[in-house]
Structure formats: C-alpha cells, structure tokens
Amino acid sequence: MSITTDRFAGKTAIVTGAGSGIGRATATRLAHEGARVIAADVAPERLVELAAELSAYNVVTIAGDITAEEVVQKIVAAADGRVDVLANIAGIMDGFLPAAEIDDATWERVFNVNVNSIMRLSRAVLPLMIAHNSGAIVNVTSEAGLRGSAAGVAYTASKHAVIGFTKNTAVMYAAHGIRTNAVAPGAVITNIEAPMKSQHAAGVVGPLLQVVVPAPAEADRLAAAITWLASDDADNVNGQVLASDGGWSAI
Ligand SMILES: NC(=O)c1ccc[n+]([C@@H]2O[C@H](COP(=O)([O-])OP(=O)(O)OC[C@H]3O[C@@H](n4cnc5c(N)ncnc54)[C@H](O)[C@@H]3O)[C@@H](O)[C@H]2O)c1
C-alpha cells in the first residue's frame, strides 16, 4: 500500500498490539503518515522486527504486558506529555468457550487484556488530551461486539464492553475536543489464536460462521479504518462503531 498523506505529521500516537496484525499495520501506517509512534506489545521480538522495518521513521517501542499498571505508565511516559492518538488494539480470544464451560482464568485474562487495559490506558492518557483540548481514541472491538455468534462468551462480553466504554468516554469528553470511536473488524488475516476448544460451540456457531463470514481481510484494510477515525478527516465523528467487515454485520 502506498501512503501519500501526512495526516499525522507532528502528532504522537500510542498503539497497543503493535507487534502483529492490525496493530502492526496501524503503527506502520501512522508512522508512514508522519506520526511519532509509541508501539507497545507484550512480545519483544515482534517489536524488534517492527523497529527494524520502520527504522527510517519515528518509532519508540515499549515491551510489556499492558494489563500491568507499570507498563501503562511506561508507555505514557514515552509520549513526553503529548498524546494525540491512542489506538487500543491489543486483544486475545477465548477458545470459543460458552457460558457453561468458561473457566475463571480465561474469563479474567480476556477481560484484563481486552477491556481493563483500555480503561487503564485511557485513564492515563485522557488528562494529557484534556490539557491540550484535543485527541482521538480508537478502540478495537469485533464482530463479536455486535452479535452473539462470532466467539465464546468471554470474548463476546469483552468486545461488547469495549463498545460501552467507547460510547461513555465519547460523551464524557466531547466538550474537551476528544473523540472516542471503535472499529469492529470482521475476519482478518493476523496471528491471533482462535482455537475452537468447545465441542458445543463448534456445533452451534461453527456452521453459522461457515455460512455468513465474508473472506478474511488483510490487516491494512483495518488500519485504514482506524487511522481515518484517528485523523482530523473524522473530526465530526464521535462515539461510533465502524464495522470493517466486508458486510458481515449487515447480514
Ligand atoms: N483477526 C481477526 O479476525 C479479528 C477480528 C475481530 C477483532 N479483532 C481484534 O483486533 C485486535 C488485534 O488483533 P489481531 O487479529 O491483529 O491479533 P494479533 O494476535 O495478530 O495481534 C495482537 C497483538 O497484541 C499483542 N498483545 C496481546 N496481549 C497483549 C498484552 N497483554 N499486552 C501487550 N500486547 C499484547 C500480541 O502480542 C500481538 O502482537 C484484537 O483486539 C482482536 O480482538 C481481530
């Protein structure tokens, strides 16, 4: 993909999950469009690869688990007091476990990564955005945030929670010039692990997924939606959930 704009020149963007998939594509696009990117991921080797690939651009990498408050503080400290864009992209799946089979560890880990980290990072970044009276937060939800048939119960509930967090934050800080939106990807070709660990789920949602899911998209196509919402082109858009899913959510 050739990028010819400089929508993010002079801006600082935090991207979580920047080592792989949608986060990596988004960090790359933001850097190519002029942003200083704080790229965070729990997998250090992925960040080393990203930094090498983007060595001509302004990229700082922070390795660590974003569910830990000290890692969140490190990420925000790297921004030197200015955050124009926060792209909360890191997320994990749940083995498609339904309510009768979900274990506490899976439920808690999925919520910690998919929801609590968004709360922690937003809580840390919002005072900086408020001080500058501007900012854009883009959270990644999922088709599973829009319907009950795209994952297990923990992932589905967590991605619905991301939408609630997005809408409340959009309302609370609109008057401070801060926009908060979400992107709901359909199937995307990434490294996310999505094993079907439940026979019950395989029987119930397996056939549905085979019938209705459009062809998986490249991660670049999600980066396009995320960066649009993060850019001034979307300056009248707040509290919205933009599905980038080849039409899945219309079925
Ligand atoms: N791939 C899809 O089909 C799809 C569909 C809908 C939604 N999503 C969502 O898109 C987002 C990105 O997923 P992806 O498909 O690009 O996956 P991916 O696994 O390719 O990339 C996610 C990255 O997040 C990092 N990460 C995971 N847990 C972390 C943690 N605790 N701290 C820091 N980094 C962490 C991983 O190391 C990985 O590099 C997720 O929120 C996912 O739920 C993906």
Side-chain angles (χ1 to χ4, degrees):
M1 181 181 293
S2 75
I3 304 302
T4 54
T5 74
D6 59 356
R7 291 181 297 178
F8 301 99
K11 296 195 171 184
T12 297
I14 292 173
V15 180
T16 72
S20 173
I22 298 167
R24 186 178 179 129
T26 303
T28 301
R29 180 143 186 183
L30 286 164
H32 285 191
E33 292 199 49
R36 173 170 188 257
V37 178
I38 317 293
D41 203 289
V42 73
E45 69 287 356
R46 289 179 171 173
L47 289 177
V48 169
E49 215 179 88
L50 179 77
E53 200 175 285
L54 295 178
S55 60
Y57 299 90
N58 197 346
V59 177
V60 178
T61 59
I62 306 283
D65 185 335
I66 53 164
T67 66
E69 182 64 28
E70 62 269 22
V71 173
V72 167
Q73 292 305 325
K74 251 170 98 176
I75 293 168
V76 177
D80 292 332
R82 181 81 202 225
V83 179
D84 301 285
V85 173
L86 169 61
N88 286 309
I89 301 179
I92 55 170
M93 282 204 65
D94 62 358
F96 283 83
L97 294 172
E101 298 172 39
I102 187 72
D103 58 281
D104 285 355
T106 302
W107 179 270
E108 281 160 21
R109 185 69 188 153
V110 167
F111 266 76
N112 267 332
V113 177
N114 292 6
V115 185
N116 298 358
S117 71
I118 294 182
M119 176 276 288
R120 286 178 185 281
L121 266 161
S122 302
R123 183 172 65 187
V125 161
L126 277 163
L128 304 179
M129 291 182 166
I130 291 167
H132 290 100
N133 217 31
S134 77
I137 299 175
V138 184
N139 299 320
V140 171
T141 175
S142 167
E143 201 69 26
L146 307 174
R147 60 179 71 246
S149 57
V153 70
Y155 187 84
T156 301
S158 76
K159 292 301 189 180
H160 277 70
V162 170
I163 293 177
F165 187 92
T166 300
K167 289 186 178 178
N168 182 263
T169 306
V171 171
M172 289 289 184
Y173 298 103
H176 292 274
I178 300 164
R179 299 180 299 101
T180 308
N181 292 288
V183 168
V188 188
I189 303 159
T190 69
N191 292 310
I192 203 162
E193 291 175 19
M196 185 81 80
K197 291 185 182 164
S198 161
Q199 279 194 351
H200 181 73
V204 176
V205 299
L208 292 173
L209 293 174
Q210 274 177 11
V211 173
V212 298
V213 181
E218 298 287 343
D220 282 353
R221 298 171 83 182
L222 277 301
I226 293 165
T227 55
W228 177 69
L229 283 170
S231 79
D232 291 344
D233 283 349
D235 70 354
N236 197 36
V237 181
N238 190 28
Q240 298 306 302
V241 182
L242 175 59
S244 173
D245 63 357
W248 181 1
S249 53
I251 298 171

